[in-house]
Amino acid sequence: MRTILASALIALCLLSPAGATSQAWLAPIPQAQRVGEGVFKRLGWSVYTARLWAPGGVYTPGKPFALSLTYEFDIARSRIVDASIDQMARLGAPIAERPQWRAALEAVLRDVSKGQSLAGVYVPGQGATFYLDETPTGRMDEELAQYFFGIWLDPRTSEPALRVALLGKTP
């Protein structure tokens, strides 16, 4: 009886999003492998674990990549959108001239619960497609995608240690 129960629990874990090893959203990236990962913390609390994926595990600007964020607690979409807008503005994004970007972010980002992942897959010339776990949530255009992913990948990011970890480099 214990063996059957243990097998059932293992099967459930393997089928659940948290235990899933298949990320269908990586399909547009040829030979996708993890480049690096890091934890974003605020006031000592882990907010999310970020992972960068690219062809052959090597990030090259101008080539396809994916960025996934797995959250450590529940966060409302409005907080994620506001933080994204603030960080993009800090990097020089023309937020005031592109008021439609807030609506675009609200369309692709979602409320998240502990353990859920938001992922964005960037394909040059096509912009980015977003997912909540394995469910597509929408697309954003090329210009917005570049500023959005710059939050983590731009050398001027507010979180340089996280950028270094995502790029698989040592500080």
Side-chain angles (χ1 to χ4, degrees), residues 45-80:
W45 294 89
S46 295
V47 178
Y48 58 74
T49 299
R51 293 177 181 89
L52 181 64
W53 307 81
V58 178
Y59 170 73
T60 305
K63 300 286 185 186
F65 67 85
L67 180 73
S68 66
L69 307 176
T70 302
Y71 287 83
E72 296 298 325
F73 54 88
D74 301 356
I75 301 179
R77 170 187 1 211
S78 61
R79 289 188 63 195
I80 298 169

Side-chain angles (χ1 to χ4, degrees), residues 41-124:
K41 293 183 178 188
R42 199 41 92 218
L43 302 173
W45 294 89
S46 295
V47 178
Y48 58 74
T49 299
R51 293 177 181 89
L52 181 64
W53 307 81
V58 178
Y59 170 73
T60 305
K63 300 286 185 186
F65 67 85
L67 180 73
S68 66
L69 307 176
T70 302
Y71 287 83
E72 296 298 325
F73 54 88
D74 301 356
I75 301 179
R77 170 187 1 211
S78 61
R79 289 188 63 195
I80 298 169
V81 169
D82 288 345
S84 299
I85 293 283
D86 290 346
Q87 288 296 312
M88 291 187 315
R90 186 185 164 286
L91 293 171
I95 301 298
E97 293 82 32
R98 309 278 194 294
Q100 70 274 20
W101 281 2
R102 178 174 289 280
L105 288 168
E106 289 170 347
V108 299
L109 301 175
R110 297 288 186 265
D111 294 337
V112 292
S113 299
K114 179 181 169 102
Q116 285 191 304
S117 295
L118 286 173
V121 179
Y122 173 77
V123 177

